[in-house]
Amino acid sequence: MAADSEIWLPLSPTIPRRRVVRFHAVAATGRLVRAACGGVADLVLPPSCPVCRARLGSAGGLCSDCWQKVLFLERPWCERLGTPLPIDLGPGILSAPAVASPPAFARARSAVSYEGPVPDLVHALKYADRTDLAPMLGAWMARVAHELVADADMLVPIPLHWGRLASRRFNQAALLAHQVGRLTGLPVATRLLLRTRRTPRQVGLGLDERERNMRGAFMVPAARKAMLAGRQPILVDDVLTTGATLEAATRALLAAGAAAVDVLTLARVVAPR
Ligand SMILES: [Zn+2]
């Protein structure tokens, strides 16, 4: 695993050095406090399901009711987009959207459908400091990633803008990428791709608006392009909704010399079948 600071605060040339040091100190203190309180909390409060709060025998999982509501994505799926297909027509089948509007990335795979208890899990990870969920969620992702991993050189988490990183204190995509890296042996490159500007939140925006929103939002610094030349990275994010963010990040990696880019997310929005 890379240095812890890379998970919590990927460096950006836009961050003044003094501010970086201060954020590192705050993040480190927060982790120490949580680590210290976590042990006490386990003694006082028994482990509970992160979705419905039902009591559990051990920490780090879901209760059986919530577990049964998680929809794991399985074949048959579109080889390009990873979206479920209603019937199995054999290997290499593409969905209509993949043919009509092919994405810049080569293949996308997601572990679960963004429904049932999954939105609550993502919310808990991102906004409620439930970083203890990352090992379970990363294991779900590694399970679905094996065909991408076989061809890949590295995992590249979607970066947060440093301003958003400062308020959230960690990058959930980097946390997930490190868990996948731990299970697959792939290195995690957290400083390869940078966010050039803070983009408005995507919630409620249509595909065209999201694409406009994200255009040119990522770049690879010139000094790091050599790390990418001819390589095949896997972009990692928490949720694939319209794909606009991953599309923009893919274009930045391809423009910087990547041979091909695959995409791995914890969840994806799946249209009702
Ligand atoms: Zn539950």
Side-chain angles (χ1 to χ4, degrees), residues 19-271:
R19 196 173 283 168
V20 168
V21 171
R22 184 152 48 88
F23 289 154
H24 276 230
V26 169
T29 305
R31 287 199 302 284
L32 284 173
V33 170
R34 270 197 308 283
C37 293
V40 175
D42 282 349
L43 292 175
V44 177
L45 302 169
S48 62
C49 173
V51 179
C52 71
R53 307 286 169 209
R55 286 197 179 179
L56 299 177
S58 58
L62 301 180
C63 74
S64 59
D65 282 354
C66 291
W67 175 259
Q68 286 172 21
K69 292 174 190 158
V70 177
L71 184 58
F72 287 90
L73 299 180
E74 308 276 357
R75 290 181 184 278
W77 54 41
C78 167
E79 286 300 323
R80 194 80 191 264
L81 299 177
T83 44
L85 296 174
I87 52 171
D88 192 351
L89 295 173
I93 297 298
L94 300 181
S95 60
V99 175
S101 181
F105 48 79
R107 296 170 292 185
R109 297 291 181 264
S110 307
V112 295
S113 178
Y114 191 67
E115 60 186 290
V118 173
D120 286 341
L121 286 170
V122 172
H123 192 275
L125 176 70
K126 282 167 86 163
Y127 303 115
D129 264 4
R130 290 298 306 265
T131 52
D132 57 303
L133 297 173
M136 174 181 73
L137 303 178
W140 294 0
M141 295 167 75
R143 174 180 168 271
V144 82
H146 55 89
E147 61 183 339
L148 307 188
V149 169
D151 300 329
D153 295 296
M154 67 190 86
L155 298 159
V156 178
I158 291 288
L160 289 179
H161 185 266
W162 72 264
R164 189 155 286 160
L165 185 63
S167 58
R168 198 178 292 168
R169 294 187 303 107
F170 64 90
N171 176 1
Q172 75 284 353
L175 274 181
L176 294 172
H178 278 283
Q179 293 299 329
V180 175
R182 189 174 59 81
L183 293 167
T184 61
L186 278 178
V188 182
T190 50
R191 302 180 187 200
L192 199 59
L193 186 65
L194 300 180
R195 202 133 186 163
T196 55
R197 58 189 166 82
R198 187 167 182 163
T199 47
R201 289 192 189 280
Q202 306 263 60
V203 178
L205 300 182
L207 177 57
D208 288 350
E209 289 169 299
R210 284 179 183 236
E211 283 179 349
R212 264 199 305 278
N213 196 13
M214 296 309 303
R215 201 167 294 152
F218 299 99
M219 58 93 72
V220 177
R224 294 175 198 153
K225 286 183 179 174
M227 289 172 62
L228 203 54
R231 302 290 180 86
Q232 193 160 331
I234 301 176
L235 273 171
V236 177
D237 205 0
D238 51 358
V239 184
L240 191 161
T241 307
T242 63
T245 300
L246 288 153
E247 185 78 8
T250 297
R251 289 186 188 284
L253 292 177
L254 291 173
V261 177
D262 288 320
V263 161
L264 175 65
T265 67
L266 166 65
R268 73 170 301 139
V269 174
V270 176

